[in-house]
C-alpha cells in the first residue's frame, strides 16, 4: 500500500509545499521528481506522485510557485512563468530544491533518478538536466523547449524524452527544430515523440477549464506518452 505526505521546504525564503509518495515495502526504489504545469500544484498533479508510487517509484511532486497550491490569477501565472523562463538560474534552483527533497528520502535509490515535467514543469526539468544534475532520465510532456543557454546541454547526463503535440501553439515547429539542433550539438541521447493533431496540455483532464485556445486534453495521447515514458525508464534504470 502506498503512502503520501506533504513536505514543506524553503527556497530563498519562499515556503514550498510538495507531495511525497512512497511505494509499498521498505527497500530502496528508483526515484522520480515531478514538476507541475504552469498554473500550479493542483490535486491532479499531486495524484501523479501516488500514481508513480503505485508502480514502485519513490516520487516527489515539487512546488515551484509556493504554498503548494495553484495560482488563482492567470495574469500572475503568466508573469511568473515569463520571469522564470528568462532566468535559468532561478528555474534550476527551484528544480534542484525539489530534487534534494526527493533524494533526502532514505528509500530513494540515488543511482536511479528521473525528472518528469509538464508544461513549464517540463521546461524546469530540462533546465535541471542542463545544469548537470545526476539524472538517468528526463521526460517533458508538452514542455517549453526554449532556453537562453542551449550550450549547457553539454552538461546533460540523462536520456531525454519530450512528448509534443503537432498542433501545440506554444511549441511551434521552429522551437522543436532549435531543440533538435541543441541536442544534436551536445551529443545527448534524446528522442522527441510527436503526436498528430494534438494540442497543449494533452495530459491534464482539466486542461480545457482554463478556456485558452490551443489547450486541450487528449486521452489517447496521454496514455501513449505515459507508456513511452515507462519504456524510457525501463531502459534508463536497467
Amino acid at each position: 500500500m502506498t503512502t503520501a505526505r506533504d513536505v514543506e521546504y524553503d527556497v530563498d525564503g519562499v515556503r514550498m509545499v510538495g507531495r511525497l509518495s512512497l511505494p509499498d515495502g521498505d527497500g530502496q526504489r528508483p526515484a522520480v521528481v515531478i514538476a507541475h504545469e504552469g498554473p500550479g500544484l493542483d490535486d491532479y498533479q499531486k495524484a501523479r506522485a501516488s500514481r508513480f508510487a503505485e508502480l514502485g517509484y519513490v516520487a516527489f511532486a515539487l512546488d515551484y510557485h509556493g504554498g503548494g497550491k495553484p495560482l488563482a490569477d492567470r495574469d500572475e501565472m503568466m508573469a511568473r512563468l515569463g520571469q522564470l523562463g528568462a532566468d535559468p538560474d532561478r528555474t534550476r534552483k527551484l528544480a534542484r530544491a525539489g530534487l534534494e527533497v526527493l533524494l533526502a528520502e532514505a528509500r530513494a535509490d540515488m543511482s536511479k533518478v528521473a525528472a518528469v515535467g509538464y508544461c513549464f514543469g517540463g521546461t524546469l526539468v530540462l533546465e535541471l538536466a542542463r545544469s548537470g544534475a545526476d539524472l538517468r532520465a528526463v521526460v517533458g510532456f508538452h514542455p517549453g523547449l526554449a532556453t537562453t543557454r542551449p550550450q549547457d546541454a553539454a552538461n546533460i547526463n540523462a536520456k531525454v524524452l519530450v512528448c509534443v503535440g503537432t498542433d501545440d501553439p506554444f511549441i511551434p515547429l521552429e522551437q522543436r527544430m532549435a531543440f533538435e539542433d541543441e541536442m544534436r550539438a551536445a551529443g545527448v541521447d534524446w528522442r522527441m515523440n510527436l503526436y498528430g493533431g494534438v494540442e497543449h496540455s494533452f495530459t491534464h483532464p482539466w486542461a480545457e477549464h482554463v478556456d485558452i485556445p490551443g489547450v486541450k486534453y487528449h486521452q489517447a495521447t496521454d496514455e501513449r506518452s505515459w507508456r513511452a515514458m515507462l519504456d524510457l525508464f525501463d531502459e534508463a534504470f536497467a
Side-chain angles (χ1 to χ4, degrees), residues 9 11 20 31-34 60-63 92-105 108-110 112-116 124-125 128-129 131-137:
Y9 60 108
V11 182
L20 179 70
V32 183
V33 63
I34 308 157
F60 181 64
L62 61 74
D63 174 16
R92 295 174 187 187
K93 189 170 189 176
L94 290 165
R96 192 167 288 276
L99 178 62
E100 288 173 356
V101 172
L102 175 70
L103 298 181
E105 167 54 47
D109 182 344
M110 288 190 282
K112 296 180 178 180
V113 181
V116 173
L124 187 140
V125 298
L128 178 64
S131 77
D134 189 10
L135 303 167
R136 292 293 169 265

Side-chain angles (χ1 to χ4, degrees), residues 205-224:
W206 306 346
E208 291 167 75
H209 294 177
V210 300
D211 193 27
I212 299 175
V215 174
K216 188 175 183 179
Y217 176 63
H218 194 269
Q219 182 177 353
T221 302
D222 184 12
E223 295 170 354
R224 290 167 182 164

Side-chain angles (χ1 to χ4, degrees), residues 37 42-48 51 118 141-142 199-211 215-223 225-226:
E37 293 184 298
D42 61 29
D43 289 340
Y44 190 80
Q45 306 276 351
K46 292 176 183 178
R48 285 187 168 125
R51 186 178 183 188
Y118 300 80
F141 295 96
H142 39 89
E199 299 173 85
H200 192 64
S201 289
F202 58 77
T203 61
H204 202 311
W206 306 346
E208 291 167 75
H209 294 177
V210 300
D211 193 27
V215 174
K216 188 175 183 179
Y217 176 63
H218 194 269
Q219 182 177 353
T221 302
D222 184 12
E223 295 170 354
S225 59
W226 180 264

Side-chain angles (χ1 to χ4, degrees), residues 2 15 19 30 36 54 65 79 82 96 105 107 112 114 156 160 165 193 207 213:
T2 64
R15 173 178 165 270
R19 174 66 57 84
H36 57 76
E54 289 168 359
H65 285 324
R96 192 167 288 276
E105 167 54 47
R107 293 195 59 199
K112 296 180 178 180
I156 295 176
V160 173
N193 287 4

